[in-house]
DNA sequence: CATATATTGCAACAGCTGATGCAAAAAGAA
DNA sequence: TTCTTTTTGCATCAGCTGTTGCAATATATG
């Protein structure tokens, strides 16, 4: 993730902030408020960097958001690599159960749902670049479900992966609606039972 | 819907537009673009009424939107009254199949998903009044599914209604994502099969 | 120390949005 | 006709947002 290729040609005044750390903080802001409602002033406050520095390093608002989406995707990829190793339907069941865990903490950004799902509703139609980032994220999950289904020897892995992807997005929209992860509990329970039925 | 209680006390200059017709046109605009992206100028163009007239009759932007949500809910209520008469799970199956019908027409606002689902993602947390309108809409559907499940003598109607509601919202978010109702086909197929299994 | 170069803070700007004030217009009531 | 009341069109306003220009600053290099 971190660009180790530093320009050694000539070093002038160095930055007084860490690029990756700033991006992680901006993920939180966009995740909580969405693209439009996130203002440059909010990014200043969250990162401690002036708007000028942000623009110099990350580009304009859409550039920033694309980098944020990338960080978000990589975070999820890391989680998948841990939970779905090896790829099994049991891991999918654990994921759904974990999705609906009880948290009332309003500070927990997980209660805001999924940044990708939320993004679709805000500007999925608008920007092709953002749309592509969302599609990549969905494809990552689709392939994860497909591989897990196949690994357990269950038939028609493509269709079942599509179904699980749909259930996942439905559950995440429930979370966003209710503002709490507990809202996903009914759908998560059904998903776990359905998967259990596949294995039998 | 139409307020028949006209003030007969003293008639001055009459309006040169129909209130309900204007509301229906504004439903289209909000449905397609969402709350924030809909500007007062767009409402002017869609209805042919000046911004001053709109503000006088419908109030400020949030007032307008609440009236729009109300019209949308009543439209859905009318559809439910037709399809779910009598309340049966077969009607739910038909509804899911109809949801995923093939339409490539970009003019068809159905391809924008569901105004209520979209609204949640935009400002569900923000305004209590809007949140209440969405909750009412959801409750309408929840009760519809519950009554249909109960009428078919299937056990645990509350839990199954909650599941169908989740599937419905998941399918509608898929539609919004892909910009086409065909995107709901996989989830609709699963929903129909699942309901079929209940009846057996 | 002197120089070059990237960064930073401050300020300001243009564009857009929702809302409003006001006078003219229109139509029924007297 | 004259008056009263509501509507309408026009213009304008304040507020916010993303972006950028510019001078000051800090640091590596020679």
């Amino acid at each position: 993730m971190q660009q180790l290729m530093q320009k050694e040609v000539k070093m002038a005044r160095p930055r007084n902030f860490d690029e990756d750390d700033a991006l992680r903080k901006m993920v939180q802001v966009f995740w909580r408020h969405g693209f439009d409602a996130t203002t440059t002033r909010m990014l200043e406050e969250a990162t401690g960097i002036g708007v000028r520095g942000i623009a110099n390093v990350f580009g304009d608002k859409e550039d920033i958001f694309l980098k944020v989406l990338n960080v978000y995707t990589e975070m999820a990829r890391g989680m998948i690599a841990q939970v779905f190793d090896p790829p099994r339907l049991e891991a999918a069941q654990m994921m759904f159960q974990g999705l609906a865990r009880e948290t009332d903490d309003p500070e927990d950004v997980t209660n805001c749902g999924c940044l990708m799902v939320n993004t679709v509703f805000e500007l999925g139609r608008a920007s092709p670049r953002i749309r592509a980032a969302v599609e990549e994220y969905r494809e990552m999950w689709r392939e994860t479900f497909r591989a897990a289904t196949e690994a357990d020897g269950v038939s028609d892995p493509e269709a079942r992966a599509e179904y699980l992807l749909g259930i996942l997005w439905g559950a995440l929209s429930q979370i966003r609606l209710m503002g709490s992860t507990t809202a996903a509990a009914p759908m998560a329970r059904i998903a776990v039972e359905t998967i259990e039925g596949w294995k039998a």
Side-chain angles (χ1 to χ4, degrees), chain A:
Chain A
M1 175 60 38
Q2 191 167 9
Q3 296 273 53
L4 289 183
M5 182 205 66
Q6 300 176 1
K7 291 182 178 177
E8 299 288 0
V9 281
K10 204 139 205 190
M11 261 304 170
R13 174 174 179 174
R15 293 184 197 138
N16 58 4
F17 66 91
D18 180 61
E19 190 167 332
D20 289 356
D21 184 57
L23 267 180
R24 275 190 294 267
K25 285 171 180 166
M26 291 194 286
V27 168
Q28 305 287 317
V29 181
F30 278 112
W31 194 348
R32 190 174 296 276
H33 299 98
F35 181 81
D36 275 331
T38 296
T39 69
T40 52
R41 275 78 177 180
M42 290 165 65
L43 295 179
E44 278 186 314
E45 193 176 3
T47 60
I49 317 170
V51 61
R52 205 62 180 82
I54 295 177
N56 279 347
V57 177
F58 300 106
D60 66 11
K61 197 180 177 186
E62 185 169 322
D63 292 330
I64 301 171
F65 193 60
L66 282 166
K67 291 184 172 63
V68 161
L69 290 183
N70 188 53
V71 169
Y72 187 86
T73 298
E74 293 309 317
M75 281 165 37
R77 199 187 302 279
M79 187 273 283
I80 288 176
Q82 286 189 354
V83 177
F84 287 83
D85 182 38
R88 286 294 150 130
L89 283 177
E90 189 183 358
Q93 290 175 307
M94 286 176 54
M95 190 275 293
F96 274 105
Q97 281 169 340
L99 189 70
R101 79 186 187 289
E102 300 242 2
T103 56
D104 283 6
D105 186 9
E107 299 297 318
D108 189 346
V109 73
T110 331
N111 286 322
C112 295
C114 168
L115 175 58
M116 292 290 173
V117 181
N118 302 351
T119 298
V120 167
F121 280 86
E122 199 174 351
L123 26 89
R125 275 188 347 132
S127 163
R129 296 199 294 165
I130 292 175
R131 186 187 178 88
V134 177
E135 296 282 4
E136 178 194 341
Y137 184 83
R138 283 173 58 86
E139 181 54 34
M140 178 178 72
W141 276 106
R142 190 185 288 114
E143 169 56 22
T144 300
F145 289 142
R146 196 204 57 77
T149 307
E150 196 177 46
D152 272 27
V154 174
S155 68
D156 208 355
E158 282 79 13
R160 297 186 199 269
E162 199 67 32
Y163 165 72
L164 290 181
L165 189 60
I167 292 280
L168 175 61
W169 280 59
L172 286 166
S173 58
Q174 301 273 66
I175 291 175
R176 174 71 168 187
L177 164 66
M178 307 301 289
S180 168
T181 53
T182 54
M187 295 195 69
R189 190 166 57 80
I190 294 286
V192 170
E193 289 176 8
T194 304
I195 296 174
E196 196 61 35
W198 293 351
K199 293 194 283 190

